[in-house]
Amino acid sequence: MPTVGDDHIVKSYDAQLKTLRDILARMGGLAEAQLDMALAALEARDSETAMKVKAGDAAVDACEQQVNEQTLRLLALRAPLADDLRQVVAALKVAGNLERVADHAASAARRTVILNDNPAMAPTRSLVRMGRKVQVMLHEVLGAYLAYDADTALAVHGRDQEIDEMHASLFREILTYMMEDARTITAASQLMFVAKTFERIGDHATNIAEMTYFLVTARPLDRHRPRRDVFDGGV
Amino acid sequence: MTMLDAPTLAENLATDAKILARGVTVHYGAKQALNGIDLDIAGNRVTALIGPSGCGKSTFLRCLNRMNDTVAGARVGGMVTLDGEPLYGPGALDPVLLRMRVGMVFQKPNPFPKSIYDNVAFGPRIHGLFARKADLDEAVERALERAGLWHEVKDRLHDRATGLSGGQQQRLCIARAIAVDPEVILMDEPCSALDPIATARVEELIDELRDNFAIVIVTHSMQQAARVSQQTAFFHLGNLVEVGPTERIFTAPEHQLTQGYITGRFG
């Protein structure tokens, strides 16, 4: 029975949809690589790599532009319906989220350059650990998106809370350093900003999970994310 | 495939039905064209019937004003009611009166070879609706006005209708259909012979007519079904596969057959 992913009668329609998916796959790969490099630069205190991340952002932006154009073309020329329509709308939104992911990676890299001018801080290790967790989330959700895998998307969606909690605990840890020694404030505040960028990337991965779920099942994922305020009482 | 699943059926039946169809079957000789259709047509709404050629959508449409009676060898089974009154079987509505209440517009504009005025006045005259000429004049003007044609033809009401453009002829046929003040209008691919501008005019008209009539439209254009209807029913091989709010059918159809058809994967 013909369904999601099967061929259309008009082959050029399939070709246009495939082009869209190909751009998304490339864009996802680039965004992941940007985050990976940003984490490597942070961990190794490597300003040169950090600068590469800054320079690499333009390629992701260019992909987003291509997705926008291809989406517009498909909407105007094919008037997609049902799963095709969801495919096109999801592509547009996923591209928007990936563009933000790459922005955050570039922002983390910029702050890494500043961090490298200051003495190393112990919480960096926890920060990298959090970043790696977010990276895994991003990798899995992109795989789920490209494979129409709603179950994996749902699983990734459920892990955002974990990231939020890591972020909150990291925030408290860094704050302790600042309070103990005012000389660490410059570096510590940069660490806090980097932690925030990773937390935001987790949110974007969660958004992509929601779009994937919608794309596959045609039903919106319950927007009720477990939003217990992780900062309650602690700070 | 003849069985609908529960949610679809509930969604289908939960309307304030103007026309109610239950277990409708149609045979053309030995060939069964419809395999038991359950479908409600709501008042003041447009219901689109879609599906590949030969799926039974036009056959079903023609059951709603007994047009299949005119086809030799056609047999209709099951139950169809208009406001609770049966269309078939014992105590059925008189077909002539039924067709006054359920008007029809065809694929190709088919004005009578008469004047514009006489085309619109035809129905009211044969049903003897108006005794006075002034009343008939007023009814003709009102029908042409509602069909959005009055301003284009008011100065040449006695010209031959066949001199109008295709789009104008189709709107004239709609005016002719509504001149007898029907309750339901059936349209069998009313725009397939029209250009996009004439199509847009007819679609705008359908939108306006919906305030006063229940409309059922058979269309091959998925985009047209999406644009004009509030409820869409998908037919396939004589079965009603899925029916629901148009928006849902075109964004998240439940059945794979519907999905495959509307996205252009078969048909």
Side-chain angles (χ1 to χ4, degrees):
Chain A
M1 219 174 264
T3 183
V4 183
D6 284 356
D7 289 348
H8 293 81
I9 297 166
V10 180
K11 293 190 184 64
S12 56
Y13 187 8
D14 283 319
Q16 284 183 339
L17 285 170
K18 183 177 183 305
T19 302
L20 183 63
R21 279 173 60 75
D22 288 349
I23 305 168
L24 255 312
R26 193 164 67 243
M27 187 177 184
L30 283 174
E32 271 191 68
Q34 286 288 94
L35 177 58
D36 184 53
M37 252 202 293
L39 281 164
L42 177 68
E43 192 166 21
R45 293 176 64 81
D46 176 355
S47 294
E48 201 179 317
T49 303
M51 296 303 281
K52 275 192 205 152
V53 177
K54 275 177 70 181
D57 195 36
V60 180
D61 289 351
C63 281
E64 193 197 15
Q65 186 57 30
Q66 285 175 24
V67 170
N68 291 350
E69 285 165 13
Q70 187 67 4
T71 302
L72 210 59
R73 188 173 296 133
L74 274 155
L75 287 173
L77 304 183
R78 301 291 180 184
L81 290 171
D83 62 313
D84 298 330
L85 179 60
R86 300 198 302 272
Q87 176 93 266
V88 171
V89 171
L92 190 65
K93 298 197 75 167
V94 168
N97 278 285
L98 285 175
E99 190 274 334
R100 297 302 301 144
V101 165
D103 270 359
H104 286 307
S107 156
R110 267 196 307 277
R111 297 190 185 283
T112 295
V113 175
I114 302 171
L115 279 168
N116 292 348
D117 291 337
N118 289 279
M121 298 266 301
T124 306
R125 272 195 305 280
S126 310
L127 184 57
V128 170
R129 204 158 49 241
M130 174 186 172
R132 292 291 178 204
K133 254 197 191 306
V134 170
Q135 187 185 12
V136 171
M137 254 178 96
L138 182 66
H139 179 75
E140 285 180 13
V141 83
L142 284 172
Y145 168 63
L146 292 169
Y148 304 115
D149 178 353
D151 292 338
T152 302
L154 202 58
V156 173
H157 188 266
R159 296 215 308 263
D160 192 40
Q161 177 75 11
E162 211 180 307
I163 301 296
D164 290 351
E165 280 165 4
M166 280 183 94
H167 178 228
S169 108
L170 198 55
F171 189 93
R172 285 188 208 101
E173 186 185 343
I174 297 169
L175 204 64
T176 319
Y177 278 88
M178 288 166 113
M179 288 192 296
E180 274 175 11
D181 185 352
R183 286 169 301 176
T184 63
I185 284 178
T186 308
S189 54
Q190 293 301 330
L191 283 184
M192 275 186 181
F193 282 125
V194 174
K196 185 67 192 169
T197 64
F198 292 160
E199 187 269 332
R200 292 297 299 144
I201 292 174
D203 287 347
H204 289 296
T206 309
N207 289 344
I208 295 172
E210 284 170 7
M211 287 318 296
T212 301
Y213 188 86
F214 171 70
L215 165 63
V216 178
T217 65
R219 280 163 187 79
L221 188 51
D222 189 357
R223 295 292 302 191
H224 175 72
R225 290 189 199 170
R227 269 213 190 284
R228 189 164 58 79
D229 191 343
V230 288
F231 286 99
D232 270 2
V235 190
Chain B
M1 196 58 70
T2 48
M3 295 293 290
L4 289 168
D5 27 310
T8 310
L9 192 64
E11 189 172 47
N12 172 21
L13 302 183
T15 52
D16 49 338
K18 181 81 187 162
I19 292 182
L20 206 126
R22 288 292 176 278
V24 174
T25 59
V26 174
H27 288 80
Y28 292 122
K31 189 187 177 314
Q32 184 159 4
L34 283 182
N35 309 326
I37 305 298
D38 295 341
L39 182 63
D40 288 358
I41 307 297
N44 305 107
R45 278 154 67 94
V46 180
T47 301
L49 312 182
I50 61 169
S53 296
C55 67
K57 57 190 187 300
S58 290
T59 298
F60 179 76
L61 187 79
R62 295 161 62 87
C63 289
L64 305 183
N65 70 343
R66 295 191 56 169
M67 287 286 287
N68 288 320
D69 291 11
T70 62
V71 180
R75 278 179 293 126
V76 179
M79 184 186 82
V80 184
T81 62
L82 172 64
D83 282 337
E85 298 177 79
L87 268 57
Y88 297 92
L93 282 163
D94 175 69
V96 175
L97 291 179
L98 167 68
R99 287 181 199 136
M100 192 170 92
R101 293 174 64 187
V102 182
M104 185 143 185
V105 176
F106 296 85
Q107 184 169 3
K108 258 186 82 184
N110 55 351
F112 303 132
K114 291 167 175 287
S115 72
I116 293 167
Y117 182 97
D118 286 341
N119 263 276
V120 182
F122 189 85
R125 274 178 181 148
I126 60 165
H127 290 295
L129 295 186
F130 304 104
R132 296 191 312 137
K133 169 97 169 62
D135 291 339
L136 183 60
D137 287 353
E138 200 188 304
V140 167
E141 176 175 344
R142 196 171 58 239
L144 286 167
E145 188 81 61
R146 284 165 105 176
L149 199 58
W150 176 248
H151 293 285
E152 292 163 57
V153 302
K154 65 176 189 295
D155 299 322
R156 46 175 173 143
L157 287 175
H158 299 285
D159 290 3
R160 286 181 82 80
T162 44
L164 296 170
S165 74
Q168 287 173 327
Q169 286 186 18
Q170 194 62 310
R171 281 181 284 144
L172 179 67
C173 292
I174 294 173
R176 189 177 62 192
I178 61 184
V180 294
D181 239 344
E183 296 153 42
V184 181
I185 304 174
L186 310 178
M187 298 183 168
D188 196 351
E189 294 187 55
C191 300
S192 61
L194 305 185
D195 70 37
I197 302 298
T199 298
R201 292 224 167 86
V202 171
E203 288 181 358
E204 166 62 16
L205 179 57
I206 290 172
D207 224 21
E208 286 169 13
L209 293 177
R210 164 161 83 85
D211 292 341
N212 299 300
F213 308 101
I215 297 174
V216 189
I217 179 171
V218 164
T219 176
H220 271 141
S221 161
M222 239 77 74
Q223 292 304 322
Q224 179 166 64
R227 286 190 301 260
V228 303
S229 74
Q230 289 74 50
Q231 174 173 259
T232 297
F234 171 61
F235 285 72
H236 185 245
L237 298 177
N239 299 305
L240 175 63
V241 175
E242 181 169 2
V243 57
T246 296
E247 195 180 316
R248 185 183 67 65
I249 296 284
F250 287 105
T251 54
E254 278 175 7
H255 291 253
Q256 299 221 332
L257 274 172
T258 318
Q259 171 109 4
Y261 179 69
I262 66 173
T263 57
R265 290 179 172 105
F266 83 96

